Every structure is written in C-alpha cells, then in structure tokens.
Amino acid sequence: MRGRLIHISAITKSGQVLVRTMSSQSAEFPNDSGGMLGVLKLLVECIPEVTVEAGRIMEWLRETAVIIAKANRGMMWITPAGFVVLHENRKPKEVGLATADRMILVYYRDDKQKIDVRKQVDGIVAHLVHSMDAAYMMRTINRLHAEGIRHFAMVHDSYGVHACDVDLLNRVLREEFVRIYSEPVLQNFLDQQRKAHPGISLPDPPQTGDLDIQQVLSSPYFFA
C-alpha cells in the first residue's frame, strides 16, 4: 500500500495539488500516527530533485493540456499498441428532477458543454502514463502469446506467469520496452496534437537526454 502511495504521487502533480492528492491517499492508514504525513513532506521535497527531467515533462504536458483546453477542445492520442485514447472532460450539465417529496439534482454528460480546463490539466499526466503502461502490457502479452505462453496474471503494471516461463517473461519485457521507447514518444504525442489542432500553437517537448535505451536489455534490475 505504501508503495502505491509513492507511485501515485510520482505521476500526479507538484506543490499543493500533490500534497492534497497524497493526503487523500494517506487516509487509508488511520493507525499510522502521523508517519505518513512525514513521508508526504519528504516526497514533496525529493521528487523534484530526483526526477528532474520527469518534472519538466509533466509541466510540458500540463502546459499543452491547458492551451488545448482553453480552446475548448479535448485531446486524443494513439498508443504504441494502436489503442485510441480520448482525454475529454467536460463540465457536467445539471438538471433538476422533481420527485414526489423533493427536488433531485442530476448531472449528466453533454458534448455541448465546455471543456473542464482544471480536470484536463490535472489528468493529462496520469492518463498518458497509464495509457503507455497499458500499451506496454498489451504488446508484452501479445508477444508472449506468440511465443506460446497461454497463462497470465496481469494487473496494471504487475506481470505474472508460471515459474517455468519467468525467464522468457524477463526477456520479452525488456525487448518490448526497448521497442516502444526507442521511438520519440513525446514528439509523436505532440505531432498527434498538432495534427488534431492545427490552429493552436503548442510548445515543443523537453529535449531528450543521452540514455542508451538498449542498456535495458542487459539490465538485471530493470524489472522486479
């Protein structure tokens, strides 16, 4: 559970919004006697220092999302698995429903309503990351199936196979990761946004570093 708290914070936001998000998650530990609040403080201080480039990417994604959202447009992208993702949060429409003894306020989706800028910005990082994780899992499972494996136990970013198939899983995990991230993922994402919104000026993504992604193939601790 504590690992999940750190995972959620690492792909969410920074500053006050990050604190609120993590504090809501820490409510799952009612008997912690304040220990989790100390962890929150440390994470807020350490994440920007440890994951500098990730922070820049997060800010770029949020900046891109706010520009598109203020033009009252949603976002869409296609993952490396070919799955089409629609990121479009609109403000719900309110309708009063009269019953025998009271008035009930009902909210429903209306495609004519304006885009909710705050939800678009707050959700873009997690949605893109999760869509990439899902694509990674889909491609990994398809590859394993092609290699003869028929039994899987998969949840989000956790992979399970029978013990006799673990070595194959380890190899395929690395190879599919390298295949996906050898491509310019952020630039591809931006190209899709620019094609969908030709009249909107969007910023370029942060420059990539000098990591040799091929090293993942020989990394013993890439996936645990």
Side-chain angles (χ1 to χ4, degrees), residues 2 5 26 29-42:
R2 286 169 169 76
L5 174 66
S26 68
F29 311 106
N31 300 318
D32 196 76
S33 303
M36 291 308 298
L37 293 178
V39 173
L40 298 185
K41 183 175 182 297
L42 290 174

Side-chain angles (χ1 to χ4, degrees), residues 65 74-77 85-89 119-121 123-124 127:
M75 303 176 72
M76 184 186 74
W77 61 90
V85 180
L86 179 63
H87 177 59
E88 185 178 278
N89 294 285
K119 287 187 177 180
Q120 286 293 104
V121 175
I124 183 58
H127 289 174

Side-chain angles (χ1 to χ4, degrees), residues 67-74 90 112-117:
I67 293 172
I68 296 175
K70 285 184 175 180
N72 199 36
R73 298 184 181 184
R90 295 186 179 274
K112 295 181 180 179
Q113 292 288 93
K114 288 187 175 181
I115 289 288
D116 189 321
V117 176

